[in-house]
């Protein structure tokens, strides 16, 4: 009886059924698309973070930078290259000077290496590794012979102009090249930036490399610098043997640095013995992250402690914009459309109940209980909601398929990635002629292109079905409650 009556009522009100189902379908489809895109954006952010911080890194610890003082000390102070009178080699009136040094990147600070022991001793810390983020800066310049001007008053006439220089007419030129260097413990492979790379040639750093001048290079940087496995690369005036090349585990991400060397060697070359810049922490369980973060902040009050959620905020570029758009506009738009669909279903159900006043009055007159009337109306609305849910899932899946076929490309960068000189870590150079940029090689962000992929999970589909059922039941219960309030005599008299 219930099924027969249900089928007859739905068939007799096809327009109402179609409108309610379509409204529900559009809302469900939007929810599916927004959830899938949100999942894709989160996965893309995780890819970027893993390439920089390492697979399994739940928390990072770094020293809070200090503002540079007037004398240039502190984080981010001005860079200087000082040369003595006897420095450089002079040939044909041109003096060539060169200086290379390894230093902490602009805007970063170091902390004592004992902080690693402190972090390791905290409860529920599964693994921890320390790194030292540095920048190798090389200055090369050609200066003219200005000895002929010695003793001449400024602006005096008759002086002999300087000779030599790169143009032979007393000119000068210089350039500043830089690349990022990451010192790490070769034995710490479980967590940290080196855990997120893929070896493409040669070998990775091993525990036997401690104290040796060996380096692993980012493959893209190696190509730019025309360096291969077996060659050497100069860091702070020291030749390092290139033993391996690596790339990010995902083709859509960039590695954490241009060059990886043993931590102790990096500390010695940079004159930072016993210093580190970052600690990467892996929690025993995701439920322990907040506890570990709080304990580290208590044990190391002068440090900055960030979780994966905090690190996601450091991802910049269009990926960050997409994340904000999905999190804010997409979420609220989905809620508004879903609420509108529910409201439409409720209003049409109430409207249908009002038009069926005589019908419900008759049913109550022949003995239908209030509960049976509510179940009948709720059943009709539930079927309408399920029809809308099925259509919504189909539309949503088609929308996600279209997004994946288009495969939009987003740019992403991490401010802590320390890739000097431009995107991808290519070395930068100041223009010739003594122009701007001398001593101002600032740390840049490593950028990469991320192909957005919107995944479909069973959870999203189940949520969509649940919303369709909830919407149908909500409309049916409200409409059925209104129908059940009708008194048989009043209902029959209202249409008499």
């Amino acid at each position: 009886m219930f099924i027969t009556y249900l089928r007859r009522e739905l068939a007799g009100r096809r327009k109402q059924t179609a409108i309610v189902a379509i409204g529900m379908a559009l809302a469900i489809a939007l929810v599916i698309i927004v959830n899938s895109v949100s999942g894709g954006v989160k996965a893309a952010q995780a890819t970027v973070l893993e390439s920089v911080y390492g697979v399994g890194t739940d928390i990072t610890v770094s020293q809070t930078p200090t503002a540079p003082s007037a004398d240039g000390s502190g984080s981010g102070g001005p860079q200087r290259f000082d040369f003595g009178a006897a420095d450089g080699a002079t040939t044909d009136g041109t003096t060539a000077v060169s200086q290379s040094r390894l230093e902490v990147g602009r805007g970063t600070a170091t902390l004592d290496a004992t902080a690693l022991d402190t972090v390791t001793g905290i409860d529920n810390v599964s693994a921890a590794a320390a790194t030292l983020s540095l920048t190798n800066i090389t200055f090369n310049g050609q200066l003219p012979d200005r000895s002929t001007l010695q003793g001449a008053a400024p602006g005096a006439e008759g002086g002999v102009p300087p000779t030599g220089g790169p143009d032979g007419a007393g000119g000068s030129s210089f350039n500043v090249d830089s690349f990022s260097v990451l010192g790490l413990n070769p034995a710490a492979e479980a967590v940290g930036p080196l855990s997120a790379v893929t070896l493409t040639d040669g070998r990775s750093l091993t525990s036997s490399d401690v104290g040796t001048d060996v380096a692993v290079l980012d493959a893209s940087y190696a190509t730019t610098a025309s360096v291969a496995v077996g060659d050497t690369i100069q860091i702070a005036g020291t030749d390092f043997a290139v033993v391996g090349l690596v790339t990010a585990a995902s083709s859509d991400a960039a590695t954490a640095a241009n060059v990886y060397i043993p931590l102790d060697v990096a500390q010695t070359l940079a004159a930072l013995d016993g210093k580190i810049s970052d600690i990467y922490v892996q929690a025993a369980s995701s439920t322990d992250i907040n506890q570990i973060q709080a304990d580290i902040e208590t044990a190391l009050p002068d440090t900055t402690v960030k979780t994966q959620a905090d690190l996601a905020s450091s991802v910049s570029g269009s990926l960050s914009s997409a994340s904000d758009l999905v999190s804010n506009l997409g979420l609220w738009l989905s809620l508004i459309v879903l609420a509108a669909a529910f409201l439409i279903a409720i209003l049409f159900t109430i409207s249908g109940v009002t038009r069926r006043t005589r019908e419900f009055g008759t049913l109550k007159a022949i003995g239908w209980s209030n509960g049976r009337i509510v179940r009948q109306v709720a059943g009709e609305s539930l079927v309408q909601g399920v029809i809308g849910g099925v259509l919504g899932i189909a539309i949503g899946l088609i929308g996600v398929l279209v997004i994946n076929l288009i495969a939009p490309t987003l740019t992403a960068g991490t401010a802590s990635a320390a890739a000097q000189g431009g995107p991808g870590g290519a070395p930068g150079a100041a223009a010739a002629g003594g122009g701007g940029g001398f001593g101002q090689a600032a740390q840049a962000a490593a950028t990469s292109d991320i192909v957005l992929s919107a995944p479909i999970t069973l959870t999203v589909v189940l949520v969509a079905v649940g919303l369709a059922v909830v919407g149908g039941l909500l409309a049916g219960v409200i409409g059925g409650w209104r129908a059940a309030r009708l008194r048989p005599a009043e209902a029959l008299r209202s249409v008499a």
Side-chain angles (χ1 to χ4, degrees):
M1 178 66 180
F2 175 80
I3 300 299
T4 302
Y5 194 77
L6 178 66
R7 184 173 62 251
R8 192 199 71 183
E9 292 300 324
L10 291 175
R13 279 180 289 276
R14 295 177 181 176
K15 184 177 180 179
Q16 174 180 323
T17 300
I19 293 176
V20 172
I22 291 174
M24 194 70 69
L26 293 177
I28 297 301
L30 182 61
V31 169
I32 291 176
I33 293 173
V34 169
N35 274 275
S36 296
V37 173
S38 177
V41 170
K42 290 180 179 178
Q45 286 181 327
T47 299
V48 175
L49 292 177
E50 284 184 354
S51 68
V52 175
Y53 301 106
V55 176
T57 298
D58 298 310
I59 298 173
T60 64
V61 183
S62 59
Q63 181 67 40
T64 303
T66 57
S69 59
D71 61 359
S73 61
S75 303
Q79 295 173 317
R80 294 176 56 87
F81 288 90
D82 298 317
F83 297 94
D87 289 341
T90 302
T91 304
D92 297 330
T94 300
T95 301
V97 293
S98 179
Q99 189 179 112
S100 180
R101 68 177 180 226
L102 195 61
E103 61 181 25
V104 176
R106 300 294 91 184
T108 62
T110 60
L111 63 157
D112 198 273
T114 56
L116 177 61
D117 298 327
T118 302
V119 171
T120 304
I122 289 177
D123 292 339
N124 300 316
V125 171
S126 175
T131 63
L132 181 60
S133 298
L134 303 168
T135 302
N136 186 84
I137 306 175
T138 302
F139 173 89
N140 292 288
Q142 291 180 308
L143 306 174
D145 181 9
R146 297 181 179 270
S147 61
T148 55
L149 293 180
Q150 293 181 358
E157 297 182 0
V160 179
T163 60
D167 59 359
S172 62
S173 71
F174 63 83
N175 61 67
V176 179
D177 295 330
S178 61
F179 56 85
S180 58
V181 178
L182 190 66
L184 45 80
N185 183 358
E189 298 178 351
V191 66
L194 209 55
S195 67
V197 298
T198 300
L199 187 67
T200 60
D201 193 13
R203 65 174 179 85
S204 185
L205 296 178
T206 64
S207 56
S208 62
D209 292 323
V210 174
T212 61
D213 297 336
V214 294
V216 170
L217 271 60
D218 171 75
S220 298
Y221 174 72
T223 300
T224 303
S226 301
V227 179
V229 173
D231 294 342
T232 60
I233 183 171
Q234 194 171 85
I235 303 175
T238 302
D239 289 333
F240 280 71
V242 178
V243 297
L245 303 178
V246 296
T247 61
S250 170
S251 59
D252 295 330
T255 58
N258 301 141
V259 181
Y260 302 85
I261 62 176
L263 176 59
D264 59 335
V265 177
Q267 291 171 329
T268 301
L269 287 179
L272 294 171
D273 291 331
K275 297 294 183 180
I276 56 177
S277 56
D278 299 284
I279 301 175
Y280 302 98
V281 183
Q282 187 179 69
S285 171
S286 59
T287 57
D288 301 324
I289 293 178
N290 291 335
Q291 167 255 311
I292 294 174
Q293 181 184 24
D295 289 350
I296 294 176
E297 289 174 340
T298 301
L300 302 171
D302 294 330
T303 61
T304 300
V305 185
K306 292 186 177 182
T307 63
Q308 274 281 6
D310 301 324
L311 295 176
S313 64
S314 69
V315 178
S316 59
S318 58
L319 177 59
S320 176
S321 301
S323 177
D324 294 339
L325 186 65
V326 171
S327 300
N328 298 313
L329 178 61
L331 175 62
W332 286 108
L333 183 61
S334 298
L335 292 177
I336 291 173
V337 173
L338 193 62
F342 283 4
L343 183 60
I344 289 174
I346 293 171
L347 291 177
F348 269 91
T349 302
I350 293 176
S351 176
V353 168
T354 303
R355 291 195 300 269
R356 297 164 66 184
T357 301
R358 183 176 182 180
E359 175 187 338
F360 288 125
T362 303
L363 292 174
K364 296 190 71 173
I366 64 176
W368 276 41
S369 65
N370 289 341
R372 186 174 181 181
I373 290 177
V374 171
R375 287 193 298 272
Q376 185 65 46
V377 177
E380 296 172 10
S381 296
L382 178 61
V383 172
Q384 292 172 345
V386 171
I387 294 174
V390 172
L391 291 175
I393 291 174
I395 297 173
L397 293 178
I398 293 174
V400 172
L401 178 62
V402 171
I403 293 175
N404 289 333
L405 290 176
I406 296 175
T409 300
L410 305 175
T411 59
T414 49
S416 59
Q420 289 281 347
F438 174 62
Q440 302 297 325
Q443 183 175 8
T447 60
S448 56
D449 292 332
I450 303 292
V451 177
L452 180 63
S453 176
I456 287 291
T457 62
L458 179 61
T459 302
V460 173
V461 175
L462 292 178
V463 168
V465 173
L467 290 174
V469 172
V470 169
L473 286 177
L474 184 63
V477 169
I478 294 176
W481 173 77
R482 182 180 178 86
R485 292 179 59 194
L486 294 173
R487 294 181 179 180
E490 293 178 359
L492 293 174
R493 186 166 53 249
S494 66
V495 293

